[in-house]
Amino acid sequence: MTPASVSDYRELARRRLPPMFFEYIDGGSYAEVTLQRNVADMEAIALRQRVMRDMSQLDLSIETLGQKLSFPVGLSPVGMAGMYGRRGEVQAAKAAASLGVPFCLSTVGVCSVDEVAAGGTAPWFQLYMLKDRGYMGELLARAKAAGCPVLVFTVDLPLPGSRYRDVRSGFTGSSGISGALNTAWQGVTHPGWLWDVWLHGRPHTLGSVANAVPQAGGVTDFLAWIARNFDRSVTWADLDWVRKTWDGPIVIKGVLDPQDARDARSAGAQGLIVSNHGGRQLDGVRSSISALPAVADAMGGDLEVYLDGGVRSGLDVLKALSLGAKACFVGRAWAYALGAGGEKMVARMLGTLRSELATAMVLTGCRNARDADRTLLDLAT
């Protein structure tokens, strides 16, 4: 199948990846109500078609936090991408760079921040706050030394949400001989992945935290250590601690409530990402797109507001821009594409989003992505 949409990349990834890794990408927490809302609420928004408006000149570019993006999309941090494609974070970063958009590296990526930066373009770096502040300080220093331009501080994961699909697939809760046999069987029955990732994509560690867990034998050991070390005591005052090591822009990821957005602004953040962690944390909360307008209005342009969650097309990107987002970050979309075929597929998927965004702009009469506002929406529907 030649992929034409994000759903096509999803299907190709489902075929190629062992079930435990596909379900980890695809699933949400608990009954996955919020995961479904992210997509359904985005689909329910109607664009306002306009015609005969001379759309011969389009400008999709934006500037944000000192960077120029060729179009208003970035790659969200996705954990363990190196298990979906060989050295997956490096491949995704290269694809993003080729399209002129940012890639954000997860703290729990298989590839380290140094390895990704060595690939040619320093990523934005996503931080989970763990109990070991000494190691956190070292990690921030490494990201800074690697040239990372932006720190994305994820605040909606003081502990992991329960993800039932991961239990059913054997990704979590399966250990010892039974766990090893389950992993082996899933690998053998997916030979393309076995050759690309399992045999030639090593080491299978979480590169940015590998030094903190020298005894870990594999990715699941690292994840178990991470889960035990999330710090539930973190408050806005901890941004002062982060600032002792990090002097660049800080973006807060995981905000849904306008008051939390105000608190982020007061704490000195330069941006925030309206996000419910892709429906992977507190199930039953509202969708990211439904939370966006109130948060954007509360900020009033004082800091950069981005959206993460439910974006499956370039049309969705324009909807988010119209409701106050400066740009959209996509997670599952690029993880599916990586699982489907590596860097080439990630670049192809980004090209599709860009083309779809351009089409939506032409047919709504929006010549410049920076000018998108609520007049582009059919609010009567």
Side-chain angles (χ1 to χ4, degrees):
M1 177 175 66
T2 301
S5 67
V6 169
S7 62
D8 292 340
Y9 293 105
R10 177 184 181 275
E11 175 58 21
L12 290 174
R14 187 192 65 79
R15 297 177 188 177
R16 180 175 176 272
L17 296 178
M20 65 169 61
F21 293 117
F22 174 77
E23 297 293 355
Y24 180 80
I25 298 170
D26 197 55
S29 62
Y30 302 95
E32 302 187 346
V33 172
T34 296
L35 171 60
Q36 296 165 24
R37 282 178 182 165
N38 276 348
V39 176
D41 289 354
M42 187 73 81
E43 290 177 343
I45 297 171
L47 292 166
R48 182 185 179 198
Q49 180 171 296
R50 303 300 302 276
V51 298
M52 304 293 283
R53 299 177 67 84
D54 185 7
M55 301 303 297
S56 56
Q57 300 295 321
L58 284 183
D59 186 355
L60 278 64
S61 68
I62 65 164
E63 292 185 10
T64 185
L65 300 180
Q67 293 182 269
K68 185 168 183 177
L69 281 56
S70 66
F71 67 111
V73 165
L75 302 192
S76 290
V78 172
M80 299 193 309
M83 299 307 294
Y84 320 143
R86 184 190 309 184
R87 313 312 290 168
E89 291 86 1
V90 173
Q91 291 198 62
K94 289 180 177 179
S98 72
L99 272 292
V101 298
F103 167 79
C104 186
L105 175 66
S106 171
T107 292
V108 292
V110 167
C111 299
S112 71
V113 64
D114 312 276
E115 182 180 354
V116 174
T121 302
W124 292 22
F125 186 71
Q126 178 265 334
L127 179 73
Y128 287 126
M129 187 62 77
L130 303 179
K131 294 174 182 177
D132 187 341
R133 290 292 197 273
Y135 192 76
M136 289 294 93
E138 293 177 19
L139 188 54
L140 285 169
R142 284 174 59 193
K144 182 178 178 181
C148 297
V150 177
L151 181 70
V152 177
F153 184 8
T154 297
V155 296
D156 61 354
L157 210 156
L159 78 171
S162 293
R163 300 165 190 170
Y164 296 157
R165 288 207 220 181
D166 291 348
V167 176
R168 294 171 185 138
S169 71
F171 183 79
T172 58
S174 180
S175 60
I177 294 177
S178 63
L181 290 174
N182 179 55
T183 302
W185 174 250
Q186 292 194 24
V188 167
T189 54
H190 293 78
W193 175 88
L194 185 72
W195 175 263
D196 180 49
V197 178
W198 189 254
L199 295 179
H200 295 96
R202 294 177 179 274
H204 296 149
T205 63
L206 298 186
S208 292
V209 298
N211 293 338
V213 202
Q215 73 279 10
V219 166
T220 54
D221 292 336
F222 282 100
L223 292 178
W225 179 84
I226 290 280
R228 292 193 301 270
N229 282 277
F230 281 120
D231 191 346
R232 303 186 199 182
S233 72
V234 176
T235 69
W236 292 112
D238 286 283
L239 252 64
D240 293 335
W241 180 87
V242 172
R243 281 288 184 205
K244 292 178 181 178
T245 303
W246 186 268
D247 57 4
I250 296 177
V251 173
I252 303 298
K253 181 177 183 288
V255 173
L256 292 175
D257 189 277
Q259 185 55 53
D260 286 338
R262 296 185 189 98
D263 290 341
R265 178 176 58 192
S266 297
Q270 283 68 52
L272 57 85
I273 301 177
V274 177
S275 171
N276 51 38
H277 216 97
R280 296 166 67 80
Q281 280 298 97
L282 180 58
D283 197 27
V285 299
R286 66 189 312 164
S287 65
S288 296
I289 193 66
S290 69
L292 172 62
V295 171
D297 289 346
M299 293 301 92
D302 289 345
L303 46 67
E304 302 286 56
V305 175
Y306 311 108
L307 177 99
D308 168 271
V311 177
R312 300 293 186 268
S313 72
L315 281 69
D316 293 340
V317 173
L318 187 60
K319 293 173 183 179
L321 299 184
S322 300
L323 289 172
K326 187 69 173 282
C328 290
F329 281 81
V330 297
R332 285 185 176 86
W334 77 260
Y336 293 145
L338 179 68
E343 178 184 344
K344 180 175 67 174
M345 286 294 195
V346 177
R348 181 186 176 101
M349 181 278 298
L350 284 170
T352 297
L353 292 185
R354 183 176 60 186
S355 177
E356 292 170 342
L357 173 61
T359 298
M361 288 172 61
V362 169
L363 293 175
T364 57
C366 178
R367 298 183 184 89
N368 190 317
R370 299 183 293 277
D371 295 334
D373 59 22
R374 294 177 197 183
T375 64
L376 302 183
L377 305 178
D378 186 349
L379 300 177
T381 59

